[in-house]
């Protein structure tokens, strides 16, 4: 019985080379199958709304024309099962359970020395109060949701003339202290270099002076798929504004906890940071591109 079950899992497993899995019931999922990667699942026909749930507790809504992005965290289990539950009142077809096998990440170790000690661990009461006030502002932004799925068309580089100075997933040792892993991508460029929106978005946070982040912008690309941009010297957009892909949103700086001018770009998906490099490399299959 155990052997039979194992064979069934193999039979339903996605093709790891392309990350594509086309079930007969109308849902196809594609994306980079790595820790820090993601899949975008789309319906081929209007069969009502579904809630997708992964075996590691991620959730997303799916309907025709509104694909769902399911993130894989840096430390994601390598075997992921995705199940769809119908949300409509009337009968709707069941969707095939999808199974994915991820490739493990190969994370670098980065040592950064010479940061002001107060920027590694806040010391004074005033510094701690500033960090707490910043935290509250960010919680409001993280809870924002737009009904759109602008992210499904793919992402473009936010700083065109730049050098990659930090990668997703690396273990960081700041002033000799092991800290949380780096969950974004760093683009080193002179102060004042243009920063462009990597996809269409709504601005959900625009703060010029956060304690760690410095000039901080959060852009919602739809359904809680958000760009998080740090250390900016100038912000050109305001809270609530709609921005197009490639539109200038601000300028590179070294505000907050930074040792040189660069843009830190994170992509946060409802609480999970995915790899911006994998998002840039992803090209959307036609059915995943939403019309709005
Ligand atoms: Zn960074």
């Amino acid at each position: 019985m155990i052997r039979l079950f194992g064979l069934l899992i193999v039979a339903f497993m996605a093709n790891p080379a392309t990350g594509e899995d086309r079930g007969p019931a109308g849902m196809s999922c594609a994306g980079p199958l790595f820790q820090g990667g993601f899949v975008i699942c789309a319906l081929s026909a209007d069969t009502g709304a579904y809630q997708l749930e992964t075996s590691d507790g991620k959730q997303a809504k799916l309907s025709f024309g509104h694909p769902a992005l399911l993130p894989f965290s840096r430390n994601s289990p390598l075997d992921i099962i995705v199940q769809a539950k119908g949300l409509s009142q009337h009968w709707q077809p069941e969707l095939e359970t999808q199974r994915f096998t991820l490739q493990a990440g190969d994370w670098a170790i980065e040592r950064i020395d010479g940061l002001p000690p107060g920027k590694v661990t806040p010391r004074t009461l005033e510094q701690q109060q500033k960090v707490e006030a910043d935290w509250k502002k960010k919680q409001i932004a993280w809870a924002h949701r737009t009904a759109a799925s602008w992210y499904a068309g793919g992402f473009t580089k936010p700083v065109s003339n730049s050098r990659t100075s930090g990668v997703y997933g690396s273990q960081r040792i700041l002033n000799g202290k092991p800290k949380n892993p780096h969950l974004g991508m760093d683009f080193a460029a002179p102060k004042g270099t243009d920063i462009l929106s990597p996809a269409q978005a709504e601005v959900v946070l625009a703060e010029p002076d956060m304690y760690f982040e410095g000039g901080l912008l959060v852009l919602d690309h739809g359904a809680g798929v958000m760009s998080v941009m740090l250390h900016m010297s100038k912000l050109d957009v305001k809270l609530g504004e709609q921005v197009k892909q490639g539109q200038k949103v601000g300028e590179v700086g070294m505000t907050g906890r930074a040792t040189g001018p660069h843009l830190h770009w994170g992509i946060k998906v409802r609480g999970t940071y995915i790899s911006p490099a994998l998002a840039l490399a992803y090209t959307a299959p036609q059915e995943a591109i939403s019309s709005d």
Side-chain angles (χ1 to χ4, degrees):
M1 188 60 207
I2 289 168
R3 183 165 297 171
L4 180 65
F5 186 63
L7 283 173
L8 282 173
I9 289 179
V10 170
F12 284 115
M13 234 162 35
N15 177 354
T18 62
E20 258 183 68
D21 189 14
R22 285 164 192 283
M27 177 169 74
S28 64
C29 299
L33 298 178
F34 296 91
Q35 286 181 322
F38 58 92
V39 284
I40 294 179
C41 298
L43 280 180
S44 57
D46 189 357
T47 51
Y50 295 87
Q51 166 100 335
L52 300 186
E53 289 186 8
T54 69
S55 47
D56 68 331
K58 308 286 190 305
Q59 298 182 335
K61 293 247 186 328
L62 171 72
S63 60
F64 185 60
H66 288 277
L69 189 152
L70 293 168
F72 305 131
S73 71
R74 178 189 186 270
N75 302 322
S76 172
L78 298 182
D79 291 309
I80 297 284
I81 298 170
V82 181
Q83 287 181 306
K85 286 184 188 165
L87 293 175
S88 302
Q89 297 295 323
H90 51 84
W91 181 86
Q92 60 186 126
E94 271 188 36
L95 301 182
E96 199 83 58
T97 294
Q98 313 261 323
R99 290 179 164 83
F100 301 106
T101 301
L102 309 187
Q103 285 187 43
D106 181 15
W107 315 120
I109 292 183
E110 286 178 8
R111 285 169 210 280
I112 299 174
D113 295 313
L115 286 165
K119 289 285 178 189
V120 178
T121 309
R123 295 201 164 159
T124 68
L125 184 62
E126 201 186 359
Q127 287 172 341
Q128 288 170 22
Q129 284 170 342
K130 170 70 175 142
V131 169
E132 201 178 311
D134 288 355
W135 185 85
K136 285 179 182 158
K137 287 176 184 168
K138 286 184 280 184
Q139 300 318 301
I140 296 168
W142 302 147
H144 189 273
R145 296 288 179 268
T146 55
S149 31
W150 298 310
Y151 60 83
F155 293 88
T156 50
K157 223 175 146 185
V159 188
S160 28
N161 285 317
S162 58
R163 176 178 63 85
T164 302
S165 57
V167 295
Y168 173 93
S170 51
Q171 177 62 57
R172 287 211 147 167
I173 300 171
L174 305 184
N175 290 357
K177 282 190 187 140
K179 285 285 178 179
N180 291 335
H182 184 242
L183 295 180
M185 187 173 181
D186 293 332
F187 300 86
K191 183 184 174 210
T193 303
D194 286 359
I195 298 173
L196 313 175
S197 182
Q200 191 175 336
E202 181 183 334
V203 179
V204 295
L205 191 64
E207 288 287 332
D209 184 27
M210 302 287 263
Y211 186 78
F212 290 118
E213 297 91 344
L216 169 66
L217 206 55
V218 181
L219 306 173
D220 188 350
H221 302 297
V225 178
M226 298 185 188
S227 277
V228 186
M229 296 174 153
L230 275 57
H231 313 306
M232 295 169 66
S233 61
K234 186 168 176 277
L235 275 59
D236 287 337
V237 289
K238 291 192 292 288
L239 183 68
E241 207 174 316
Q242 298 275 331
V243 294
K244 297 240 175 295
Q245 187 173 47
Q247 183 182 328
K248 185 185 173 190
V249 292
E251 295 175 4
V252 171
M254 57 173 292
T255 55
R257 189 169 74 187
T259 49
H262 74 282
L263 171 71
H264 168 102
W265 176 36
I267 303 178
K268 193 174 192 179
V269 183
R270 302 177 293 271
T272 301
Y273 281 101
I274 60 170
S275 162
L278 291 178
L280 283 174
Y282 172 76
T283 36
Q286 204 50 42
E287 68 268 22
I289 300 172
S290 166
S291 52
D292 58 351

